[in-house]
Amino acid sequence: MHPVVRAGLGAAALGAAGLGYASLIERNAFVLRRRSVPVLPRGHRPVRVLHLSDLHLMPNQRRKVEWVRSLAALQPDLVVNTGDNLSHRDSVPVALHAYEPLMEVPGVFVLGSNDYFAPGFRNPFDYFRQDSRRGGPAPATLPTDDLVRGMGDGGWTDLTNRRAVLEVAGAAIEFVGVDDPHLDYDRYDLVEGVADQSALLTIGVTHAPYQRTLDAMTKDGASLVIAGHTHGGQLCLPFYGALVTNCDLDTSRVKGVSRWWPGAGSEPSSAAPRDAAWLEVSAGLGTSPYAPVRFACRPEATLLTLEPAH
Ligand SMILES: [Fe+2]
């Protein structure tokens, strides 16, 4: 066989193996990340927050549903769901079944674009464009109201463009949430205000971590902001990381815990001020059904422990 043909076949086999691994193995290799942030007053007992995001559920994804249900065994004090629950219009009952054992504890949620619109085929290179939202036919809508009603009836609090104070583990925690900034549905003007001084802390909740939302929440006194949407880059380079965040956040903050303060996006390399907020971004648990692959970026949920500041 000609060496060039042999090299071509070798590269094709490697590519096929990589694609097979990304679609069959890593996409289903759910992992629980444990992270902590020092945001509580000295001496306060830790508060355990289960952060779920971007399930992108299809009606037949039983393995993912059972894995999410099993997280109730962690006995968190609070569940935060940062949206993109659905990938199909028949998935609402499946999502509510996945969350059912977790609705025993206080919870809050915001919505993402994949709670409003069914996914469609996207050119993967769209994600490298400055504004990845443009183009394509109008997508089909999803039964958003059924999802919101189901989570609300289960006991979780809707934070789409809302502020709320909840009792969590015996303490009052204030939340400020927005509708999805990726769709320009965020209306921070409806929720902006001064942080409730009687609350233990203020937590900002958003699906997509756009800079304008992070700036507004941290300017308002949120000491922690929780977000999803990025999928951690979804297809990452080993030893390098994410290539895209699918929003205007820099790739160094694409997943995990980092610091944010008003204006941080225009000077990401400068040192964080002492009073900077903490930012937790989840790589999420799913993918679009049209790009069912993950590489060097396992699907995740996070057990985020709020701890006393030292
Ligand atoms: Fe998503």
Side-chain angles (χ1 to χ4, degrees):
M1 189 184 295
H2 192 282
V4 173
V5 175
R6 195 185 310 148
L9 286 174
L14 208 61
L19 201 61
Y21 167 81
S23 66
L24 296 173
I25 299 176
E26 181 152 337
R27 180 170 68 91
N28 292 306
F30 310 118
V31 62
L32 180 73
R33 308 276 187 210
R34 292 172 191 267
R35 299 171 183 141
S36 61
V37 283
V39 290
L40 297 183
R42 244 179 239 213
H44 200 283
R45 86 161 180 83
V47 175
R48 300 163 81 240
V49 181
L50 178 64
H51 178 199
L52 300 171
S53 198
D54 295 84
L55 268 68
H56 290 265
L57 273 168
M58 293 293 282
N60 62 353
Q61 290 181 327
R62 282 180 33 207
R63 195 183 342 190
K64 192 190 294 179
V65 168
E66 291 309 316
W67 191 83
V68 170
R69 285 177 67 88
S70 75
L71 297 175
L74 297 168
Q75 298 187 300
D77 299 304
L78 169 74
V79 178
V80 175
N81 175 356
T82 46
D84 267 10
N85 298 277
L86 313 175
S87 270
H88 192 281
R89 62 173 300 104
D90 295 336
S91 294
V92 171
V94 186
L96 296 177
H97 178 65
Y99 299 143
E100 183 232 308
L102 293 162
M103 288 177 178
E104 305 285 315
V105 293
V108 294
F109 64 89
V110 290
L111 301 177
S113 56
N114 286 269
D115 298 308
Y116 290 106
F117 302 107
F121 176 77
R122 289 268 307 271
N123 179 341
F125 292 100
D126 282 355
Y127 291 96
F128 291 93
R129 296 192 323 197
Q130 196 66 30
D131 184 346
S132 62
R133 294 168 289 187
R134 286 175 301 182
T141 56
L142 292 169
T144 313
D145 291 348
D146 294 350
L147 177 70
V148 170
R149 197 177 312 114
M151 291 195 287
D153 288 350
W156 286 357
T157 299
D158 181 358
L159 287 179
T160 48
N161 292 329
R162 297 208 182 123
R163 256 185 134 92
V165 176
L166 288 190
E167 176 146 336
V168 177
I173 295 183
E174 183 185 42
F175 297 90
V176 56
V178 288
D179 205 345
D180 188 9
H182 193 61
L183 293 172
D184 287 327
Y185 283 5
D186 53 315
R187 288 287 309 276
Y188 203 80
D189 59 305
L190 298 179
V191 293
E192 84 184 314
V194 180
D196 185 338
Q197 296 302 317
S198 65
L200 191 61
L201 79 158
T202 300
I203 300 177
V205 184
T206 177
H207 174 65
Y210 276 83
Q211 292 183 30
R212 65 177 183 277
T213 304
L214 305 181
D215 280 358
M217 289 174 166
T218 53
K219 201 187 278 181
D220 258 6
S223 45
L224 168 65
V225 180
I226 298 179
H229 174 75
T230 64
H231 296 192
Q234 194 166 316
L235 291 171
C236 298
L237 295 181
F239 311 111
Y240 179 82
L243 301 172
V244 292
T245 63
N246 199 19
C247 63
D248 64 1
L249 190 69
D250 59 284
T251 51
S252 72
R253 294 179 171 101
V254 71
K255 66 177 177 181
V257 166
S258 61
R259 309 297 301 279
W260 191 271
W261 58 98
S266 55
E267 43 177 340
S269 58
S270 67
R274 266 180 70 84
D275 61 349
W278 294 90
L279 172 64
E280 140 74 9
V281 180
S282 171
L285 282 163
T287 63
S288 160
Y290 295 96
V293 285
R294 275 185 177 257
F295 196 76
C297 184
R298 286 174 69 180
E300 66 178 29
T302 309
L303 187 65
L304 184 68
T305 303
L306 315 189
E307 293 179 336
H310 306 297

